[in-house]
Amino acid sequence: MINKQNQTAILVEAARLYYEHHFSQQQIALKLGISRPGVSRLLRQARDKGIVKIEIVDLSKLGTNLENKLKDKFSLKRVVIAPNDNEDIGVIKKRLGVAAAALLNEMTDSLMILGVSWGTTMLEVARHINKKHLKDMIVVQLNGGVSRAEYDTHASEVAQKIGEAYSAIPYLLPLPAIVDKEDVKRAIISDKNIAHTMQIAREAKVAMFTIGSFGYDSVLVKSNYFESEEVDTLLKRGAVGDICSRIINYNGEICSEDLNSRTIGIELNELQKKEYSIAVAGGKEKLPAIQAALNGKLFNVLVTDEWVANKLLSEN
């Protein structure tokens, strides 16, 4: 028997698939295991109950059943799951961007400081933000991201696009993510303008960032921050991912203190203190990194895809 809470969750899931992710009613029917006319009835009920207006509105904030299971298992504040039927990673990133942008639009208000990281997933978030004017809002870049190669990290573009959408003031860190020596980092962050931007990042109550996988194809490696021998060393030490350019092992701990001391940006323990620390990451290759970040309790809100969500739930 379906109780009222489960019925609301099904209505929200059907509405998201149809209106946000543009699934056909037949595709939704196959995904939910019901008839196509049944999908039509669900969408009509969703409209009648006010769940569907101009955008998808989960009035109860209950989320879908899968989202609730993941939230409960890992004691998270919120989970948002985008559909994934074995699509290309580009499609998955776009869906993650749509879902994360909708969440951000729901959370943002005036007099708010929002910290953001960079990368292709975060760029999709920035592209799908609904424009609205927010008084005295600030968007601040959480970590350096200037590439040493021709590889585009979209470091400043993400903060600028989100700032434009919200009529907010963008604070950027036009700096490398990692420098060669610790004393070089100390000199850089001692600059009053850089120090001011980093202090604003610490004061942000909401931070949204992606989780990168670590290996020879990772963004930091493609950006020429590491020689091949350094990559080998980090992999031997158990490196599986990065958050805001901080390399972590499977326990969600810093993989190399030396490397960490040369990294410019917010510290992981500062992310943990945020009221909302929002990780946006999906795709099969990122599963170990997402699991590692969960092990380290490095975020309290997760935006991911169905495949990753089911894998996380199936693990002990």
Side-chain angles (χ1 to χ4, degrees), residues 60-289:
S60 63
K61 300 296 185 290
L62 290 173
T64 67
N65 292 327
L66 184 57
E67 289 168 346
N68 288 327
K69 288 177 182 178
L70 201 60
K71 182 181 72 171
D72 293 342
K73 178 174 180 177
F74 293 102
S75 300
L76 298 171
K77 286 186 175 181
R78 186 83 178 268
V79 172
V80 179
I81 297 174
N84 178 1
D85 291 324
N86 297 313
E87 281 89 1
D88 175 83
I89 187 62
V91 174
I92 294 170
K93 285 184 178 182
K94 182 176 180 179
R95 288 179 179 171
L96 291 173
V98 169
L103 175 64
L104 205 52
N105 286 329
E106 175 189 310
M107 297 176 65
T108 49
D109 54 28
S110 299
L111 302 174
M112 172 185 178
I113 302 174
L114 169 67
V116 295
S117 71
W118 42 262
T120 53
T121 301
M122 285 302 300
L123 184 60
E124 288 295 340
V125 177
R127 285 172 172 165
H128 290 92
I129 296 290
N130 288 340
K131 290 188 176 183
K132 59 180 177 178
H133 180 77
L134 296 173
K135 184 180 178 182
D136 298 327
M137 182 180 172
I138 291 173
V139 179
V140 60
Q141 189 177 324
L142 293 172
N143 57 315
V146 175
S147 177
R148 294 181 178 179
E150 294 182 1
Y151 190 86
D152 192 355
T153 64
H154 309 287
S156 61
E157 187 178 358
V158 171
Q160 286 176 327
K161 277 185 175 291
I162 295 176
E164 289 170 6
Y166 290 141
S167 301
I169 302 169
Y171 281 81
L172 308 178
L173 284 174
L175 305 166
I178 302 166
V179 293
D180 292 332
K181 297 181 180 179
E182 187 177 355
D183 58 355
V184 173
K185 173 187 170 179
R186 283 198 296 267
I188 290 173
I189 65 176
S190 66
D191 176 86
K192 65 178 182 180
N193 294 312
I194 300 301
H196 180 58
T197 299
M198 293 184 69
Q199 182 57 36
I200 291 173
R202 294 186 192 98
E203 293 173 0
K205 291 184 179 180
V206 179
M208 180 174 280
F209 50 88
T210 191
I211 302 173
S213 56
F214 187 79
Y216 288 99
D217 291 329
S218 67
V219 172
L220 290 173
V221 175
K222 287 181 177 179
S223 299
N224 280 357
Y225 281 113
F226 302 105
E227 300 293 336
S228 59
E229 311 86 71
E230 294 175 295
V231 177
D232 289 337
T233 299
L234 288 166
L235 290 173
K236 287 177 182 177
R237 291 183 179 181
V240 295
D242 82 273
I243 292 179
C244 294
S245 307
R246 309 276 176 182
I247 309 299
I248 59 173
N249 62 22
Y250 188 73
N251 294 319
E253 300 166 340
I254 290 297
C255 200
S256 166
E257 288 299 337
D258 171 66
L259 175 61
N260 196 56
S261 70
R262 297 184 283 112
T263 303
I264 298 176
I266 196 164
E267 299 278 355
L268 294 184
N269 62 350
E270 293 170 339
L271 279 180
Q272 290 174 309
K273 297 174 184 177
K274 301 296 185 190
E275 183 176 349
Y276 293 99
S277 182
I278 308 168
V280 185
K284 295 180 180 180
E285 74 282 355
K286 288 194 176 183
L287 178 61

